[in-house]
Amino acid sequence: MHELSLTQSVVDAVCERAAGRRVHAVRLRVGLLTAVVADSMRFCFDLITEGTVAEGARLDIEQPPGSGHCRTCDSDFPLTDPVLLCPCGGADVEITSGRELQIISMRVG
């Protein structure tokens, strides 16, 4: 369950950036190819934020789909799993989206 360590890093960054101000909401972008289970991350967020300035904050998670670019046929295509194979059969694929894990915004005050 890597969601626990990932969420701990997010909460650490959020609390540091909040500089003592109460955190009301955090918005994340977590690509579908990261293999992060959003519900597990929300569960971990609630546990980890206890006793911090982010306790009780709402966690919103966007999950952009994966996409890749095939160097063999020079086309872009959707990736639904980590198997990097183009519909043309080419395996020389670059992941262009879906591996993000970013803090997009936080609301403090």
Side-chain angles (χ1 to χ4, degrees):
M1 184 164 140
H2 65 284
E3 286 85 356
L4 182 61
S5 60
L6 293 173
T7 307
Q8 180 69 60
S9 296
V10 167
V11 170
D12 289 348
V14 164
C15 289
E16 181 180 325
R17 198 70 160 158
R21 296 171 290 176
R22 178 128 174 83
V23 177
H24 298 282
V26 176
R27 189 167 151 220
L28 301 179
R29 179 176 296 138
V30 182
L32 285 176
L33 299 178
T34 60
V36 168
V37 178
D39 286 342
S40 293
M41 193 166 220
R42 288 184 187 95
F43 176 77
C44 293
F45 184 82
D46 289 342
L47 291 176
I48 294 169
T49 56
E50 283 184 18
T52 72
V53 294
E55 183 172 357
R58 187 181 77 238
L59 177 64
D60 297 319
I61 301 174
E62 295 175 17
Q63 292 195 286
S67 63
H69 179 79
C70 178
R71 293 182 186 106
T72 303
C73 69
D74 196 32
S75 65
D76 296 317
F77 63 96
L79 277 172
T80 56
D81 59 51
V83 177
L84 303 178
L85 191 60
C86 178
C88 78
D92 189 7
V93 173
E94 174 187 3
I95 295 175
T96 56
S97 177
R99 293 177 119 178
E100 307 89 339
L101 200 160
Q102 303 167 311
I103 300 170
I104 301 301
S105 65
M106 54 190 264
R107 190 165 50 90
V108 298

